[in-house]
Amino acid sequence: MRGATSAKWVAGAAIIALAATACGSDDGDSNSDKKPAAGAVNAKGIFSVEVGEPQNPLQPANTMESNGSIVVKSLFSQLVDYDAKGQIKMVNAQSVETKDSKTYTVKLKPGWKFHDGTAVTAESYVKAWNWAAQPANKQTNSAWFSDIKGYDDVAPAKGKPKAEEMSGLKVVDDNTFTIELSKSLPYFEYKLGYEVFSPLPESFYKDPKAAGEHPIGNGPYKFVSWDHKKQIKVTKFDGYQGPDKAQNGGVVFKNYSTLETAYEDLKSGNVDVLRQIGPKDLPVYKTDLGDRAVDKAYSAIQTIVPAFYGKQFKDIDPKVIQGLSMAIDRDTITKTVLQGTREPATGFVAKGVNGYQPNVAGDVTKYDPAKAKKLIKDGGGVPGNKISIQYNADGGHKEWVEAVCGSITKATGIKCVGDSKADFQADLDARDAKQVKSFYRSGWVLDYPMNANFIRDLYGTKSDGNQSGFSNKEVDALIAKADSAKTLEDSVKEYQEVEKKLVEYMPGIPLWYYKVNAGYSEKVQNVDYSQTGDPILTQIQVKK
């Protein structure tokens, strides 16, 4: 959710994050082979999607959660994207080439336009990235540019900036620019598919705040309106030059405060596409919706994370967190409370990602009350003998949080309670302000299909996705080693070693891997969900 998906912090118990790309593969639980027969299509038809209120203005580098990301992704296209197998495909870029994984040459496809009719050029990218990197502009994902040479001069860890532009970015001509990194990074091209690397039109800089309320992008849809906490409207951009042209006339992103309300609206035809089904309706949604019910794996993971900056976990022995992990009966909770819609996690990296390795956590994610109590005791115990788990009340989390707490208390005697925030925005704001009292719920979906995205971007000391204050010199050193590997394959292997080390230090407690459990109305067809868990907006068709 952010998260880096960057990241994408995932809002719901059952759901999503990035939007509308043609990536994603079916792990065997999809209903894609059972979709209703295609009917006549209204190419100008509008459909609606369930979302929540975005946390921040709709600026591409200021979105680290799923409610804002799905909208931003519809408005902005990137240099690259990924196919269903996680391989790079060109979108706004004609080519991205490197000989040493340190200096990259980007050539743009000519003729692309922003929604205001101005040209998308090399300068549109370089200027946007430099603006987003500057601390004064307070973009939540600014650290995503930290790989680029000169970033530390623009955004130093301490002191005032020494420059306004990163020295590693150079415009060659209207359709060509170069990116020089501070050191080689074999998977950098993959990162360019994340929306933080979007271009911006010149009009943006006249009033960036206003541009966040009325964004002008280069994507398949253009912005129409934003009625806060009610809905956001976008319409098909007829001048779009990308491969994923919209097969519909536009989208209404409808805001819901509860998943249960959204589901009732789906059944009555008042919303067309859901990203998730709440726990209460999971037992019945397949019966209710029939062929329009969706059950499909995607690359996201649910964890609970200690606030290491607080008194309770500041100097905690990792054995305590290992013990708490072993006090959680994942098998029972996923089968009962979550109705089999989740798979117990056995590591820190989501399934379907390059470098995923099964059972890497060993016994740490297996339910064992006796070992749990011993580990907690050997580690010095839980300060206060009580923990809480912060979560957003609008995401369908209450039931499983209570089940996890009940499991921990039953196994160890440690009191555990939920700490509910009104909505996802309030939950994220509390994290950003370092107000988490104990644990917080962390759902993370891929930003790019590499294991680095679930390790470096969450647990590196300086990463934007690291909201817990976790910092470990050995982990940082291993991350640096993985980043300096000579080949992509070597980097993936090195990150697999980092994941093994995370089991020793426990920067979080992995719970389960996500699935899309959703559905759609009789008004639409050709509905599918990407590897990021979001509906692929551009391919959805509205029936006549």
Side-chain angles (χ1 to χ4, degrees), residues 367-384:
Y367 181 58
D368 190 328
K371 285 188 178 179
K373 284 189 283 189
K374 185 176 187 307
L375 280 166
I376 292 170
K377 182 179 179 181
D378 291 348
V382 173

Side-chain angles (χ1 to χ4, degrees), residues 313-332:
F313 293 112
K314 188 171 184 180
D315 298 309
I316 201 77
D317 188 319
K319 289 179 181 177
V320 174
I321 304 173
Q322 289 176 334
L324 290 171
S325 177
M326 296 186 75
I328 300 170
D329 189 352
R330 295 165 179 78
D331 287 338
T332 298

Side-chain angles (χ1 to χ4, degrees), residues 227-306:
D227 190 357
H228 283 275
K229 295 197 173 183
K230 292 183 179 179
Q231 63 182 22
I232 297 172
K233 292 183 178 180
V234 301
T235 188
K236 178 181 179 180
F237 176 44
D238 291 329
Y240 183 59
Q241 299 294 313
D244 52 336
K245 290 182 173 63
Q247 298 180 39
N248 50 71
V251 187
V252 178
F253 300 95
K254 295 184 69 173
N255 187 284
Y256 285 92
S257 59
T258 71
L259 300 181
E260 290 77 15
T261 302
Y263 184 65
E264 291 303 314
D265 266 10
L266 176 69
K267 290 193 295 181
S268 60
N270 292 322
V271 68
D272 297 309
V273 180
L274 298 192
R275 304 175 301 167
Q276 58 186 321
I277 302 289
K280 183 178 77 69
D281 297 307
L282 286 175
V284 298
Y285 87 104
K286 291 183 180 180
T287 301
D288 287 347
L289 302 179
D291 289 339
R292 294 179 287 109
V294 177
D295 182 358
K296 180 177 181 179
Y298 74 105
S299 297
I301 187 170
Q302 180 84 80
T303 62
I304 53 174
V305 179

